[in-house]
């Protein structure tokens, strides 16, 4: 039902960021982009980690929730230890379980084929934004090919480290006949330049149950 790349950054704040004042910092943006490209293959990965999924079907006014510990086994596949599962059965089966299945399927794709790199995407610098005390450089991203797992939208890079702090857009190709479109926002929470949490929001227009909203929170197991 869903493609698991994304998989996708949940928005921690719905406030529109303020555009940084002054002339475009193209030198700073170029340096941040170079740092990003040098490290993009080293995706954020924790094992074990906690994962929480909140799903909502607006048309049916039904919700579901899952909290689990995810570990990678010796084969590199994910095993889940469910700590809590609640809510409507339809949401659990048609949304949450399908999302987890899609995550496992996506993990089998070659990482290089869906990585947000110059090999797969065109990048166009748009300017800098200020979100709180930090500054990020915004790049418009456009896939070079229409392929499952790729999105068209924006990429925000931390001005100091070049780390991707926000990715947003829509998948350019539906991963399933049962899905019309998928919109995604993925936000990485940094502390000292190190990723501490991944927040992902998916808005999925399905043919079976209408619109499905998912919020996925991932963080190292503490």
């Amino acid at each position: 039902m869903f493609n698991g790349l994304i998989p996708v950054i949940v928005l921690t704040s719905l406030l529109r960021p303020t555009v940084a004042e002054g002339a475009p910092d193209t030198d700073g943006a170029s340096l941040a982009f170079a740092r990003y490209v040098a490290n993009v293959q080293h995706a954020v990965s924790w094992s074990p980690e906690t994962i929480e999924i909140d799903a909502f079907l607006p048309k049916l006014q039904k919700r579901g929730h899952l909290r689990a510990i995810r570990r990678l086994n010796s084969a590199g596949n994910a095993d889940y230890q469910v700590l809590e599962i609640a809510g409507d059965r339809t949401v659990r089966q048609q949304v949450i379980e399908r999302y987890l299945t899609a995550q496992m399927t996506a993990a089998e794709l070659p990482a290089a084929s869906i990585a947000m790199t110059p090999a797969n995407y065109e990048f166009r610098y748009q300017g800098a934004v200020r979100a709180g005390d930090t500054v990020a450089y915004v790049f418009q991203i456009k896939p070079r090919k229409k392929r499952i797992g790729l999105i068209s939208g924006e990429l925000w890079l931390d001005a100091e480290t070049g780390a991707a702090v926000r990715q947003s857009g829509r998948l350019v190709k539906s991963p399933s006949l049962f899905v019309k479109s998928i919109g995604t926002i993925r936000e990485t929470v940094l502390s000292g330049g190190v990723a501490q949490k991944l927040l992902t929001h998916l808005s999925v227009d399905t043919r079976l149950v209408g619109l499905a909203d998912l919020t996925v929170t991932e963080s190292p197991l503490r």
Side-chain angles (χ1 to χ4, degrees):
M1 181 176 178
F2 310 121
N3 185 284
L5 88 117
I6 355 216
V8 45
I9 312 172
V10 169
L11 190 61
T12 57
S13 170
L14 297 180
L15 296 177
R16 186 178 180 83
T18 303
V19 178
E21 298 179 356
D25 183 9
T26 54
D27 289 342
S30 296
L31 179 58
F33 184 73
R35 288 172 173 166
Y36 166 76
V37 172
N39 295 292
V40 68
Q41 299 295 347
H42 305 290
V44 175
S45 178
W46 302 297
S47 183
E49 66 179 328
T50 59
I51 177 171
E52 293 192 42
I53 302 175
D54 290 289
F56 177 52
L57 296 176
K59 183 178 180 179
L60 301 178
Q61 288 296 299
K62 294 183 177 182
R63 299 178 182 274
H65 173 77
L66 171 76
R67 183 166 62 93
I69 296 174
R70 179 165 57 196
R71 295 181 173 87
L72 297 180
N73 58 33
S74 58
N77 300 317
D79 290 329
Y80 292 87
Q81 176 188 347
V82 177
L83 303 178
E84 177 186 1
I85 187 167
D88 181 78
R89 183 176 181 179
T90 298
V91 179
R92 299 200 311 264
Q93 293 181 340
Q94 297 299 322
V95 182
I96 295 177
E97 289 183 11
R98 286 179 181 270
Y99 169 79
L100 293 175
T101 299
Q103 285 286 92
M104 291 185 284
T105 301
E108 298 174 357
L109 295 173
S113 70
I114 57 175
M116 202 165 286
T117 63
N120 296 324
Y121 285 88
E122 297 175 5
F123 295 82
R124 179 175 297 178
Y125 178 53
Q126 299 295 297
V129 295
R130 190 179 301 278
D133 296 330
T134 63
V135 172
Y137 296 118
V138 180
F139 291 83
Q140 181 184 51
I141 54 174
K142 180 181 179 181
R144 297 186 182 277
K145 295 182 179 180
K146 191 175 182 180
R147 187 165 62 228
I148 289 178
L150 304 183
I151 69 172
S152 178
E154 287 186 347
L155 171 67
W156 293 15
L157 302 182
D158 179 68
E160 183 176 350
T161 65
V165 293
R166 176 181 160 105
Q167 303 166 38
S168 62
R170 304 195 73 82
L171 270 71
V172 296
K173 188 174 183 179
S174 173
S176 168
L177 293 176
F178 299 105
V179 174
K180 296 180 181 179
S181 64
I182 300 179
T184 177
I185 301 173
R186 170 177 289 174
E187 188 171 75
T188 304
V189 179
L190 300 177
S191 178
V194 179
Q196 299 296 322
K197 183 181 295 186
L198 292 179
L199 302 169
T200 306
H201 177 73
L202 296 171
S203 179
V204 186
D205 189 2
T206 76
R207 301 184 189 278
L208 295 178
V209 293
L211 185 66
D213 289 327
L214 290 91
T215 298
V216 184
T217 305
E218 302 163 87
S219 58
L221 180 66
R222 296 183 174 87

